[in-house]
Amino acid sequence: MTRKVKIGNVTIGGGSPVVVQSMCSTKTRDVVRTVAQIKRLQDAGCEIVRCGVPDMESARALAKIRKKIEIPLVADIHYDYKLALAAIDGGADKIRINPGNIGSVEKVEAVIAAARRGKCAIRIGVNSGSLKENADFKLGEKSGNGRADRMVASLMEHVSFFESRGFRDIVISLKASDILTTIAAYKLAAKYTDCPAHIGITEAGTALGGIIKSSIGLGILLHEGIGDTMRVSLTEDPEKEVYTAYRILSALEIRKRGVDIISCPTCARTEIDVIKLAHRVEELTMNVEKPLKIAVMGCSVNGPGEASEADIGVAGGRGIGIIFRKGVIVKRVPKKELLKEFEKELKKIAG
Ligand code: SF4
């Protein structure tokens, strides 16, 4: 059980639902584009959003962005503690730093003091790529994975420092681009601290590889009860990160949001272009919040029966398309009208 930490109006940790995050791909200084992307992310279900702050212009833009959005805003800072101070001043609800690259003790203390005044949480993010060789924090128990052990020792050194200054609104993250190190590090860290964990597989890759890596890595951690907030990191439009995060949470029955599309692999009985249809149905239902099972099946002989648990489904028939609910055919329509009729039926149950 982790401690509760408030990020603006969202609580993470302490048994709260796992919170889904993403990160803007726009230039933060471009307030109009950034706000528009955050609104799209929010519609997709993103609950906390992070923006990179590479320079002072971006830090100053945060205040304008903050006023125009509803979900908590996280500022991602590297190296320059003045950017952290400006971000907190601009109303960031959380900042993400690696204290190891912020500089002197005094600079880190200045950031802690500003965060306390500004009621801003801090994520201490340790990356496997930027570790000092020997941390002062000595681990009693180790994972057996040398890199994971070094990451946790480095993290705990920072956590101890922050807590010794009376600052406890801490979220932790331990990012490595390989899954086994990431899992070993988070599992070990959970033995040393009750700070809520932001989990993610960093630089996971493009859609195919990234979704596989994230599903395995985050899936294992979540299944073991580790992870209070998550970001799926993909080289894709960030909305896809959000959809993927919910699919992972739904598959593990941790949180339900959005549709689960069941589609058949097609065979010699197929009477319709299932691949095209499944993709169209996926596009149409992207922002449906209600957890629904939707089937896309190739034939009317086996389709409705095989997908009888689906709340709604479409299948190909001889020269027609059919729509079924819980395995029972409710409509037979010309194939070219199938999607339009499906949308009408979907509206009746999607709310
Ligand atoms: Fe083949 Fe029909 Fe099963 Fe699809 S639903 S795999 S088309 S039998």
Side-chain angles (χ1 to χ4, degrees):
M1 183 60 86
T2 49
R3 72 178 73 150
K4 284 188 174 162
V5 173
K6 292 226 16 145
I7 317 294
N9 55 8
V10 172
T11 301
I12 60 172
S16 313
V18 178
V19 171
V20 171
Q21 305 199 21
S22 186
M23 185 163 183
C24 282
S25 56
T26 52
K27 298 282 181 208
T28 305
R29 69 181 99 91
D30 186 339
V31 175
V32 174
R33 280 211 170 85
T34 301
V35 168
Q37 188 172 60
I38 293 174
K39 299 231 152 123
R40 287 198 300 279
L41 282 166
Q42 192 183 334
D43 287 343
C46 179
E47 295 162 311
I48 293 178
V49 69
R50 182 158 48 118
C51 290
V53 182
D55 50 38
M56 206 40 98
E57 203 185 340
S58 305
R60 288 198 198 99
L62 289 176
K64 293 182 197 146
I65 295 167
R66 185 76 207 81
K67 286 195 189 105
K68 293 188 167 124
I69 62 168
E70 286 145 44
I71 54 177
L73 180 64
V74 183
D76 195 89
I77 314 282
H78 282 282
Y79 304 112
D80 187 350
Y81 84 113
K82 287 193 185 130
L83 295 177
L85 300 181
I88 296 167
D89 212 32
D93 299 291
K94 181 171 77 166
I95 56 165
R96 184 264 164 178
I97 55 169
N98 176 352
N101 70 26
I102 287 291
S104 66
V105 166
E106 291 73 29
K107 288 176 181 169
V108 179
E109 281 177 335
V111 173
I112 294 174
R116 189 181 289 118
R117 276 196 309 275
K119 294 194 171 30
C120 175
I122 298 179
R123 165 149 72 98
I124 299 177
V126 169
N127 275 18
S128 65
S130 54
L131 293 175
K132 64 177 188 182
E133 215 26 68
N134 285 307
D136 293 333
F137 190 93
K138 298 291 170 229
L139 297 174
E141 190 175 339
K142 295 188 178 179
S143 71
N145 176 321
R147 205 139 50 100
D149 292 346
R150 281 207 305 284
M151 287 166 74
V152 174
S154 172
L155 172 83
M156 287 313 301
E157 187 171 319
H158 298 315
V159 170
S160 306
F161 178 84
F162 278 59
E163 289 182 347
S164 72
R165 267 60 178 177
F167 191 87
R168 288 178 57 80
D169 293 330
I170 305 165
V171 180
I172 59 159
S173 66
L174 294 144
K175 303 266 185 85
S177 52
D178 82 274
I179 299 170
L180 297 179
T181 303
T182 305
I183 293 171
Y186 276 106
K187 281 174 76 169
L188 184 62
K191 295 184 177 160
Y192 284 94
T193 176
D194 68 346
C195 292
H198 168 115
I199 57 172
I201 306 292
T202 193
E203 296 131 21
T206 53
L208 180 63
I211 289 173
I212 291 170
K213 280 194 211 169
S214 296
S215 304
I216 296 172
L218 304 186
I220 288 172
L221 286 170
L222 289 165
H223 191 56
E224 298 210 5
I226 296 172
D228 301 281
T229 179
M230 67 191 282
R231 180 205 175 189
V232 171
S233 159
L234 296 176
T235 313
E236 293 286 343
D237 191 313
E239 283 150 273
K240 284 215 176 106
E241 300 185 342
V242 177
Y243 298 134
T244 308
Y246 280 106
R247 297 294 185 276
I248 294 171
L249 292 170
S250 294
L252 290 165
E253 298 190 11
I254 290 173
R255 282 188 75 179
K256 293 266 184 197
R257 181 194 160 107
V259 302
D260 178 13
I261 294 179
I262 318 161
S263 52
C264 83
T266 77
C267 73
R269 291 196 185 86
T270 308
E271 308 259 13
I272 204 158
D273 186 344
V274 176
I275 297 176
K276 196 164 142 199
L277 188 59
H279 282 107
R280 287 290 296 125
V281 168
E282 191 169 59
E283 281 163 27
L284 275 174
T285 55
M286 271 301 182
N287 284 352
V288 171
E289 281 183 39
K290 198 167 168 180
L292 291 174
K293 254 191 184 140
I294 299 181
V296 182
M297 308 301 272
C299 72
S300 56
V301 183
N302 289 346
E306 279 179 20
S308 60
E309 80 277 28
D311 298 294
I312 184 166
V314 288
R318 285 243 161 90
I320 54 156
I322 64 165
I323 296 170
F324 56 94
R325 277 161 69 171
K326 299 279 182 196
V328 178
I329 297 175
V330 292
K331 259 185 192 170
R332 286 185 170 79
V333 297
K335 273 185 187 164
K336 59 176 185 336
E337 287 171 26
L338 184 58
L339 271 175
K340 200 174 73 196
E341 291 300 321
F342 165 75
E343 245 189 302
K344 277 193 211 158
E345 287 298 312
L346 179 70
K347 274 200 187 117
K348 290 185 198 163
I349 58 168

